[in-house]
Amino acid sequence: MSLSASATAALPVSGPSGPRLRLAKLCVAVQGSTPEELFTRAEAALKDARFLEFRLDGLAKPASGLPQLRDLLARNRDVTAIATCRRKDFGGHFTGSLTTELDILVKAAEAGCQIVDIEVESAEQATKPQLAKFRAALRAAGAALLISFHDFSRTKGLAQAGQRIKAFEPDFVKVVSTARTLADNLAMLRLIEDLSLHSNMVGIAMGEEGLISRVLGPRAGAAFTFASPGDGAETAPGQAAVRTLIDLYRFEQLDQATRIFGVAGNPIGHSLSPLMHNTAFRRENVNAVMLPLKVKSLDDLLTLTRELPLAGVAVTMPLKQEVLPHLANMDPLTTRIGACNTLRVGGDGKIVGFNTDVAGVVRPLERRMKLKGARILVLGAGGAARAAVFGLVEQGAEVFIVNRTHETAVALARKAKTKALKRDQLAKNRFDAIINTTPCGMTGAIQSLPIAENELNAHLIFDMVYTPLETPLLKLARSRGLAVISGLEMFVLQGARQFEIWTGKPAPEAEMLRVVELALRKRG
Ligand code: NAP
């Protein structure tokens, strides 16, 4: 998909009268159930943005907010404001009539709002004289007209929605749909590309799956996009907070050359990969951004990867295995492990797969011990254990596997040409390191320890679990004076390897570790 050029700087927009409007690319939408709440939020939002949308329909009596609106805009002459009083039938909260809606919007324009938003249904319902009078009043107040379409259930018929709006020749065309798939973003970005050639266009696909359209819409040609003032203050599903867009998703740095990466999974909202990688991209001056991609099917992810296109993807379970048949190539270790967590997309669109969980296990260990000949016990025989076992065997370590289901340990040991032990053999064996690859100790897990205290027969304990940061196993190991490696270190070092694969540069590990650790500590 070739996204047409659009500067990230302000866009000049000819209003119907008066001076040309220079719009920022980010509009923060504020609403409140009382004027006090609305304007307290608006004042706070002004710290991050000088372009606000006032959702007057959130107020029980929208007209009651007009005096404060006038006052705020008089005190902040550099602020651009949109007034919206969306009726309940069309997705808003306002229960009054069309006539009252239009009246409130004219008053908002007279109070200093430079843009007013009406739903296309309202424009269609209005009589010709009513609409003409409304437009004349806006012109007299120097305000531009934005006409919007909203679909709260799907992304379909976007071009028709655009045509319905364009029939009124408004100053801004706004089409909002709901993304059910990642590919729905492609449909929205294409609409933006098409309509922005001749109109001031705003296009958004709502919902978690639609994040791409919010972040990349302006790059495709949208006049601006919407943000919430903060988490929990969204006026539409999937709206990202203004600071998240700027600080995390690098909104102000995105341009045509920005390479887009994703971390794919479901759920994915809590993934720390965007924070870790976007911090690294910023630190190393790499023009790239990583976005969380809520994936319901591999086909959907592959369509997005091909058509956006994505430059690379970090994949989580169960995609790690499902993606294998779609790879043009993969390294031999990934083939043996049978799971791939990192995709790199070449200029020819071909996807190469890597398993960086191996680096996440091997690197922290080799910094602390010689792996050749080391006796290492792996607890568990699932996906993470496979990366550990194959990676360590390749380094020449003597690997032992113990698993709750012994047969699975035996099968893995046979494949990796190493040994499975029965649980009752643990107490009488000594190891150089023990690695926990089971979820025992994870927040919410029923079982807190994967093995008993008398089975901790090693100098070094490595726990892959990193929520909480200080797991019961690590606490026990420290209390016995043993060296430890945390799951956090593994997460960061597998991410560092991803960074190297994607950028060809060494990763800023210390900075990646710092931000992920801070975020985990904040989560508690
Ligand atoms: P998985 O494929 O589901 O494997 C889980 C393994 O743990 C299986 O061998 C399972 O045994 C065993 N197990 C599960 N519950 C157990 C219990 N109560 N007692 C004893 N054994 C138990 O999961 P995975 O993808 O390998 O992930 C495992 C853990 O590693 C997760 O906590 C994950 O967060 C962590 N991890 C961390 C990183 C990192 O970067 N730090 C990376 C990858 C994974 P059975 O065969 O008997 O079911």
Side-chain angles (χ1 to χ4, degrees), residues 132-156:
K133 191 173 155 218
F134 175 63
R135 297 186 79 152
L138 294 186
R139 231 183 339 265
L145 175 64
L146 179 155
I147 299 186
S148 57
F149 166 87
H150 295 82
D151 185 331
F152 292 92
S153 64
R154 60 187 184 161
T155 297
K156 220 168 177 202

Side-chain angles (χ1 to χ4, degrees), residues 178-347:
T178 297
R180 294 268 168 239
T181 63
L182 294 171
D184 285 342
N185 290 282
L186 298 169
M188 184 53 81
L189 292 174
R190 281 192 193 108
L191 182 80
I192 295 172
E193 276 190 314
D194 290 348
L195 295 194
S196 63
L197 291 175
H198 305 291
S199 312
N200 293 309
M201 163 69 186
V202 178
I204 286 168
M206 295 186 288
E208 200 181 342
E209 287 91 337
L211 179 70
I212 296 166
S213 72
R214 292 186 181 277
V215 179
L216 302 183
R219 195 178 86 137
F224 57 88
T225 192
F226 288 91
S228 77
D231 291 333
E234 300 81 13
T235 60
Q239 206 173 57
V242 55
R243 292 266 39 115
T244 304
L245 283 175
I246 295 172
D247 298 338
L248 182 58
Y249 301 139
R250 316 191 71 199
F251 185 78
E252 290 171 337
Q253 279 83 47
L254 304 178
D255 60 24
Q256 292 307 306
T258 306
R259 296 166 77 210
I260 314 295
F261 292 86
V263 54
N266 187 10
I268 202 63
H270 270 68
S271 170
L272 289 165
S273 290
L275 173 68
M276 176 168 70
H277 283 291
N278 290 331
T279 302
F281 291 147
R282 193 188 297 269
R283 179 75 170 209
E284 296 302 309
N285 285 319
V286 176
N287 187 0
V289 66
M290 175 182 271
L291 301 175
L293 307 175
K294 187 173 167 193
V295 176
K296 289 187 201 137
S297 82
L298 179 64
D299 273 356
D300 188 29
L301 175 65
L302 293 173
T303 303
L304 184 82
T305 303
R306 255 191 328 267
E307 295 185 26
L308 190 60
L310 292 169
V313 188
V315 291
T316 61
M317 294 302 289
L319 300 166
K320 286 183 180 185
Q321 277 133 30
E322 279 178 38
V323 77
L324 293 179
H326 303 274
L327 302 180
N329 209 343
M330 60 184 128
D331 59 66
L333 200 53
T334 304
T335 313
R336 261 180 280 150
I337 294 166
C340 149
N341 74 332
T342 305
L343 312 181
R344 186 176 67 196
V345 187

Side-chain angles (χ1 to χ4, degrees), residues 12 116 121 155 158 295 320 411 414 438 499:
V116 303
E121 293 87 348
T155 297
L158 296 183
V295 176
K320 286 183 180 185
R414 197 173 299 133
T438 78
F499 184 90

